[in-house]
Amino acid sequence: MTNTHINATTSHLISGKDDVKGTKVYNPAGEDLGHIDDILIDPASGKIVYGLLQFGGFLGIGSDYHPVPFAKLRYDSTLGGYVTDLTKEQLEGAPAYEDNWRSDRDWQQRSYDHYGVRPYWF
Amino acid sequence: MTNTHINATTSHLISGKDDVKGTKVYNPAGEDLGHIDDILIDPASGKIVYGLLQFGGFLGIGSDYHPVPFAKLRYDSTLGGYVTDLTKEQLEGAPAYEDNWRSDRDWQQRSYDHYGVRPYWF
């Protein structure tokens, strides 16, 4: 995980209840890609392990929900949102959405492998 | 942080949108103390760093909101809620609630020190 750029002087905690759903997601050029619909939490570790992203026609992909390892999102306090370098190919090649993905460690393994992120459960 | 008891076979991710607010909090004897009203997230690390607990008359303390380091909560999948060993003395002796605590690193430092939890920003 390289998703750490903590600034000791400008820390501001965000509310899971009020501030997460709807937070914008940008590409590295600062263009608005969509927003976060939900976050998925590993209750044992207290770690947010997936962002459920909703993209509206991003890069030619129709509006849809994409569970993406949270480490692929970097918070930018200037933009007030998350920046991601996800590509169309990465999203299209990801494991297909399954109803039980939240409980399916095999699915999660394939997803994390796909995005090249170290599994959160190690 | 000792808040890790991950069971590789029973992982189930919880939804920040639907599953967090209202999750019950129990004492080690399994008695219902109250519930979680919100979680506070460090956006840089994706870590839940506080649970905002609401206790209704817990141990003689009136119903109130208590920001508690998330590491003081241990998820129990059997109970479907969090277990904490917080005492009345710990809650009463904690730094007084301040409006800007979410942005105040000094307040957070005193809070984490009070509960004997290693600060999340290190």
Side-chain angles (χ1 to χ4, degrees):
Chain A
M1 305 254 184
T2 56
N3 192 27
T4 49
H5 61 138
I6 296 172
N7 183 329
T9 62
T10 61
S11 166
H12 182 72
L13 304 179
I14 63 177
S15 160
K17 193 170 69 175
D18 300 326
D19 298 339
V20 170
K21 181 175 162 63
T23 301
K24 290 286 189 184
V25 179
Y26 301 92
N27 70 13
E31 294 166 338
D32 183 349
L33 300 177
H35 66 271
I36 293 182
D37 183 69
D38 200 0
I39 52 175
L40 284 304
I41 298 159
D42 175 41
S45 65
K47 190 88 182 164
I48 301 168
V49 295
Y50 280 100
L52 188 60
L53 307 190
Q54 186 174 20
F55 293 131
F58 167 45
L59 296 172
I61 301 177
S63 177
D64 211 345
Y65 295 93
H66 300 271
V68 171
F70 201 73
K72 295 299 291 181
L73 302 168
R74 179 179 60 77
Y75 190 75
D76 185 311
S77 56
T78 306
L79 289 168
Y82 289 92
V83 176
T84 185
D85 60 0
L86 288 167
T87 65
K88 179 179 179 179
E89 288 69 28
Q90 283 180 300
L91 289 168
E92 288 184 336
Y97 197 98
E98 294 178 9
D99 284 345
N100 68 339
W101 71 276
R102 282 167 51 183
S103 301
D104 187 341
R105 180 57 58 81
D106 289 338
W107 191 95
Q108 294 168 22
Q109 175 84 58
R110 282 181 282 125
S111 166
Y112 264 64
D113 283 351
H114 171 75
Y115 287 108
V117 175
R118 181 182 167 82
Y120 66 87
W121 52 90
F122 288 122
Chain B
M1 306 254 184
T2 57
N3 191 26
T4 49
H5 61 139
I6 295 172
N7 183 329
T9 62
T10 62
S11 166
H12 182 71
L13 304 179
I14 64 177
S15 160
K17 193 169 69 174
D18 300 326
D19 298 339
V20 170
K21 181 175 162 64
T23 301
K24 289 286 189 185
V25 179
Y26 301 92
N27 69 13
E31 294 166 338
D32 183 348
L33 300 177
H35 65 272
I36 293 182
D37 183 70
D38 200 359
I39 51 174
L40 284 303
I41 298 159
D42 175 40
S45 64
K47 190 88 181 163
I48 301 168
V49 294
Y50 281 99
L52 187 60
L53 308 190
Q54 185 173 20
F55 293 132
F58 167 45
L59 296 173
I61 301 178
S63 177
D64 212 345
Y65 295 93
H66 300 273
V68 172
F70 201 74
K72 295 300 290 181
L73 302 168
R74 178 180 60 79
Y75 190 75
D76 185 311
S77 56
T78 305
L79 290 168
Y82 289 91
V83 176
T84 185
D85 60 1
L86 287 168
T87 65
K88 179 179 179 179
E89 288 69 28
Q90 283 181 300
L91 289 169
E92 288 185 335
Y97 197 97
E98 295 178 9
D99 284 344
N100 68 338
W101 71 276
R102 282 166 52 184
S103 301
D104 186 341
R105 180 57 58 81
D106 289 338
W107 190 95
Q108 295 168 21
Q109 174 83 59
R110 282 182 282 128
S111 167
Y112 265 64
D113 284 351
H114 171 75
Y115 287 108
V117 176
R118 180 182 165 83
Y120 66 88
W121 52 91
F122 288 123

